[in-house]
């Protein structure tokens, strides 16, 4: 199970220093590392020309003792699911900002796909 929208703005410490999470509308079954990608990469995915997160992938692979190819595949899946969620949300909102975010994610998704196909 994953939060589905784990972001800095959905986490805080209460007066006793305990971690609290809010905004559970997207809780569900997601692929491994989904929340980790969302928390660590989401801010950079909102930028027009985000760089491929090579350093982040290496750190994640090391942190969880996983092959980089597996982390790359899960990033590819994360981006695909995010684009689907954005597209579904935008059927109602019709926001150009969301359309731009989808394009940014698609460009990164394509880079992931290219790396998966020809390492």
């Amino acid at each position: 199970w994953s939060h589905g929208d784990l972001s800095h703005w959905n986490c805080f410490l209460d007066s006793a220093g305990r971690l609290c999470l809010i905004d559970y509308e997207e809780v569900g079954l997601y692929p491994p590392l989904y929340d980790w990608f969302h928390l660590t990469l989401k801010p950079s995915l909102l930028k027009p020309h985000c760089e491929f997160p090579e350093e982040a992938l290496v750190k994640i692979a090391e942190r969880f003792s996983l092959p980089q190819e597996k982390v790359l595949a899960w990033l590819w899946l994360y981006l695909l699911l995010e684009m689907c969620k954005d597209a579904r949300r935008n059927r109602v909102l019709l926001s150009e900002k969301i359309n731009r975010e989808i394009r940014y994610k698609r460009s990164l998704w394509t880079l992931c796909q290219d790396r998966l196909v020809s390492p």
Side-chain angles (χ1 to χ4, degrees):
W1 286 93
S2 295
H3 183 277
D5 189 21
L6 189 61
S7 306
H8 297 92
W9 47 87
N10 287 336
C11 304
F12 65 93
L13 296 176
D14 68 8
S15 59
R18 293 177 297 220
L19 177 64
C20 299
L21 303 178
I22 59 173
D23 187 9
Y24 286 93
E25 66 189 43
E26 295 189 23
V27 165
L29 295 173
Y30 292 92
L33 299 178
Y34 189 91
D35 281 341
W36 192 268
F37 288 134
H38 204 75
L39 182 64
T40 58
L41 298 179
K42 180 73 172 188
S44 65
L45 293 176
L46 300 176
K47 296 177 184 173
H49 302 287
C50 61
E51 300 290 322
F52 188 83
E54 191 74 47
E55 187 176 318
L57 288 181
V58 170
K59 285 181 181 179
I60 291 169
E62 289 172 358
R63 167 74 173 87
F64 294 102
S65 301
L66 295 167
Q68 288 184 25
E69 296 77 26
K70 186 172 277 194
V71 175
L72 181 62
W74 285 338
L75 175 60
W76 178 87
L77 188 53
Y78 163 78
L79 292 165
L80 179 63
L81 292 171
E82 280 293 293
M83 287 186 296
C84 291
K85 287 186 344 185
D86 289 345
R88 188 171 44 250
R89 187 177 305 123
N90 211 26
R91 284 188 200 121
V92 174
L93 298 175
L94 303 174
S95 164
E96 181 51 38
K97 180 183 176 200
I98 295 174
N99 282 333
R100 278 194 309 272
E101 289 175 16
I102 292 169
R103 287 193 298 271
Y104 303 157
K105 290 172 187 169
R106 184 175 291 127
S107 67
L108 189 53
W109 178 80
T110 302
L111 286 173
C112 286
Q113 185 167 304
D114 291 348
R115 286 177 178 227
L116 285 167
V117 171
S118 34

